[in-house]
Amino acid sequence: MKTIIKLLLGIFIFFISINSLTAQKQERLSAIEIKLMELAKSNPGLIEKVDLSVTNVSLQEFIRGLGVSNNLNISIDPGLKLSITNNFSNVTVMDIILFLVEKYDLEINFIGSIMSFSQYSIPLPEPVIYVPKRLAITYNSASDILGLDLKDDSLYLVTKEITRLSQKNVVHAPYLGQKVVNGFIQNISFENSLEKFAFANDLKITKTEDNSYLIEKKDAETNVPVGKSEKNNKKGNYQSINTGGADFNIKVDNNLLTVDAVNIPILDIISGVSFETGKNYFLFSEPKGNATLKIKNVSYDQFLSYLLNGTDFTFRKEGEIYLMGDRNLEGLRATKVVQLQNRTIDKVIDFIPVDLKKGVEIKTFPDLNSFILSGSLPRIVEIETFIRDIDRVVPVIMIEVILVDFKKNRTVSTGINAGLKDAPVTSGGKISPGIDFTFSASSINNLISIFNGFGVFNLGKVTPNFYLSIKALEEQGILNTRSTPKLATLNGNEAKMSIGKTEYYLEISNNVIGSQNPQNIISQQYKSVNADLSLTIKPIVSGDDQITLDIRVQQSDFTARINPNAPPGTVKRDFQSLIRVKNEEMIILGGLEEESTSDTGSGLPLLSRIPVLKWIFSSRINSKSKSKLNIFIKPTIIY
């Protein structure tokens, strides 16, 4: 029956809420309509009839179009990003605006003759100002009369008000701070009134030698409140705490705690241990959940750290009071600047575990090479400890590189060339070292005339433009290049070096512009081609000063051009290795070696292939080249 009544009550409240919202909306639309009618008196465009049909048009553009076509002053919020599809026939502009306001939940602010369209937002309710309840407590200092009229009031606030009015200290046990008390007492003495108040709320009043009044739970020895115990006068003895069916033990010896609890509410553990140790605490919010712990000989601060670690709660000590509550509460947040000593803050934030960063805001401050941490103090301490652990001296590795590039080539050119020139040539050339000599027609005729007249031989004469070239050359070359660059980098970072050269070639482009009167535009541009030797080394230092080197060598070089105007060809070689060496130990990288052989010739068919005769009836070039690159690497650790 009760369930049905609750259900009917919920449905009734729901319908009342719907009706209330509908009434508010209708009232808002009526107010906008009244303002539009008033504005129409000075802006007749609002009552003009229009015919409009749009499909998937931006709401901003649609309203702006209405304003332009009907001379209306309109401002539109750029945040209105809606598309509409509508067909209006013979309706006034004002009716269209009212339709849009209702359909798309818009708001219009009228400023003179300007209409400003924006998205309607439900106004926030006015905040309710909390007025603390005034306690009905009276005290007459002359007659020492105390009067109480209490109903569901906090014992903490009641004792505080009595102490303030009477100037007599009334103190309650720590575990009674949240207790709710009731009572009506009038026109009796102060002590008698306190006794009646204690009786009405199952409490016990004890007057101390300094005229203070202590409030405790009645019959504390047998009826101990949840998670609390009466403090034992014998130092170092175990106290068994009853928690409504489950027990846990506390021992205090020289301010060191030993606690043994199994599945006990966290609030009960804090209350019991705080009472046994005499610690003052204040709860911003009540800790939730249970805990199981067995710890021995720890301080009160360590006890709280162990108990609250892994929960959403934390603590902070101010003077002699421990403040406890949610980690994000204002009173428990902390801010700290952590400066790194041995490395930069770059990328360090990515190495901090995600679980440590929960609930902590981390900002980088490059000017001081620091992190700014804001959040729960225990979490900040954990992050700071982690950062200090990884903020160690990073070794610097100096890498000495020796590049030895050895090149050797040999070319032999032999042969006899004969032919006709456009004009007579003169004899000339060299005969040492090597022979590269050209004979003119007159020189050849002189030579022929020597043989003419012997017997039946008569060779005649050659034409004036005839020539004869004899070549017998041998070229050798050896090139040994050595360079010794030095690189330095931090552990785990790459060191790069590149040595190369650039050659250029001409690129000509012809563009035709226009169709009826075409024009040719010729442009020339020099483009570059690079050939280089690049070396990349990434060192990683291990704990025993062994160094792992990730080495990559790339070498490219130019080859002959296939055409004088063509770009130079390139050949590339790539070498990659992962090795491990000792500190200051040198290694050699070889294998970047190239060897080429070429044997080309031209001459008369058949005769150019007959031994001996081929040297007379052909021209030949025989070349051989060899290049080798050796790289010596020596890493040295520098702290």
Side-chain angles (χ1 to χ4, degrees), residues 44 108 179 204 218 257 315 318 342 405 410 425 428 438 462 480 525 534 541 555 594 624:
I108 304 178
K179 182 175 177 58
K204 181 177 69 174
K218 189 177 181 181
L257 288 167
F315 73 96
E318 283 193 3
N342 301 303
D405 192 3
R410 177 177 177 271
V425 301
T438 300
V462 298
N480 192 351
Q525 183 180 6
S534 63
V541 180
Q555 185 186 30
E594 182 180 5
K624 184 181 292 186

Side-chain angles (χ1 to χ4, degrees), residues 171-178 215 228 271 274-275 278-281:
V171 182
H172 62 77
Y175 54 82
L176 295 175
Q178 304 296 326
I215 301 179
K228 315 299 180 292
S271 300
S274 300
F275 179 69
K279 300 293 185 181
N280 299 318
Y281 67 92

Side-chain angles (χ1 to χ4, degrees), residues 193-326:
S193 178
L194 287 182
E195 290 179 0
K196 300 300 187 289
F197 165 74
F199 174 79
N201 294 278
D202 198 23
L203 299 172
K204 181 177 69 174
I205 299 291
T206 303
K207 185 176 182 181
T208 62
E209 295 180 355
D210 58 354
N211 292 324
S212 297
Y213 298 87
L214 304 180
I215 301 179
E216 301 174 278
K217 188 69 176 176
K218 189 177 181 181
D219 298 328
E221 294 179 355
T222 57
N223 188 18
V224 181
V226 176
K228 315 299 180 292
S229 72
E230 184 179 1
K231 190 171 180 181
N232 195 307
N233 292 326
K234 293 184 179 180
K235 185 176 180 181
N237 290 341
Y238 277 101
Q239 305 301 312
S240 180
I241 312 300
N242 179 269
T243 61
D247 295 337
F248 71 96
N249 298 318
I250 303 173
K251 178 184 177 183
V252 182
D253 189 4
N254 294 325
N255 294 324
L256 296 179
L257 288 167
T258 299
V259 183
D260 187 0
V262 178
N263 197 25
I264 304 298
I266 295 176
L267 178 60
D268 295 345
I269 298 176
I270 293 176
S271 300
V273 173
S274 300
F275 179 69
E276 288 295 330
T277 56
K279 300 293 185 181
N280 299 318
Y281 67 92
F282 180 86
L283 292 176
F284 287 99
S285 55
E286 183 176 326
K288 304 296 183 181
N290 294 1
T292 298
L293 69 157
K294 185 174 183 179
I295 54 179
K296 184 177 181 181
N297 295 332
V298 298
S299 65
Y300 185 77
D301 290 38
Q302 291 175 319
F303 155 73
L304 290 179
S305 297
Y306 295 143
L307 181 65
L308 301 179
N309 190 25
T311 69
D312 293 333
F313 285 78
T314 185
F315 73 96
R316 182 164 63 90
K317 185 178 181 181
E318 283 193 3
E320 297 299 323
I321 301 177
Y322 287 83
L323 307 178
M324 305 180 195
D326 192 277

Side-chain angles (χ1 to χ4, degrees), residues 314-481:
T314 185
F315 73 96
R316 182 164 63 90
K317 185 178 181 181
E318 283 193 3
E320 297 299 323
I321 301 177
Y322 287 83
L323 307 178
M324 305 180 195
D326 192 277
R327 294 179 183 271
N328 296 321
L329 289 176
E330 181 178 354
L332 297 175
R333 287 200 307 266
T335 301
K336 190 167 187 178
V337 177
V338 180
Q339 186 177 36
L340 276 67
Q341 303 295 328
N342 301 303
R343 60 187 306 151
T344 63
I345 61 175
D346 296 338
K347 298 182 180 180
V348 172
I349 191 172
D350 298 331
F351 301 142
I352 301 176
V354 176
D355 292 339
L356 288 184
K357 293 190 287 187
K358 286 182 179 179
V360 179
E361 184 180 6
I362 304 177
K363 297 289 186 181
T364 58
F365 191 14
D367 294 353
L368 292 179
N369 194 38
S370 304
F371 289 107
I372 301 177
L373 310 179
S374 177
S376 168
L377 183 58
R379 288 281 173 86
I380 289 178
V381 172
E382 290 182 9
I383 295 177
E384 182 182 10
T385 302
F386 175 81
I387 292 176
R388 297 301 183 202
D389 286 342
I390 65 174
D391 183 23
R392 301 182 182 181
V393 176
V394 180
V396 176
I397 298 93
M398 185 183 70
I399 304 172
E400 298 180 66
V401 182
I402 302 176
L403 302 175
V404 180
D405 192 3
F406 175 80
K407 294 182 180 180
K408 181 180 180 181
N409 60 76
R410 177 177 177 271
T411 303
V412 177
S413 300
T414 60
I416 299 175
N417 294 325
L420 296 176
K421 293 283 188 177
D422 295 336
V425 301
T426 59
S427 298
K430 65 176 183 178
I431 58 175
S432 180
I435 299 174
D436 187 5
F437 199 87
T438 300
F439 294 93
S440 64
S442 60
S443 298
I444 296 174
N445 287 331
N446 292 333
L447 183 62
I448 292 175
S449 63
I450 296 174
F451 294 97
N452 286 336
F454 288 95
V456 295
F457 290 100
N458 188 1
L459 299 178
K461 294 183 179 182
V462 298
T463 62
N465 294 341
F466 186 81
Y467 75 93
L468 179 69
S469 296
I470 300 175
K471 181 182 288 187
L473 296 175
E474 181 176 353
E475 297 178 353
Q476 292 184 351
I478 297 176
L479 177 64
N480 192 351
T481 305

Side-chain angles (χ1 to χ4, degrees), residues 152-168:
D152 296 333
D153 292 313
S154 168
L155 178 60
Y156 168 75
L157 297 177
V158 170
T159 56
K160 181 179 179 181
E161 184 67 12
I162 292 175
T163 300
R164 187 184 68 82
L165 293 175
S166 65
Q167 298 300 311
K168 299 178 182 180

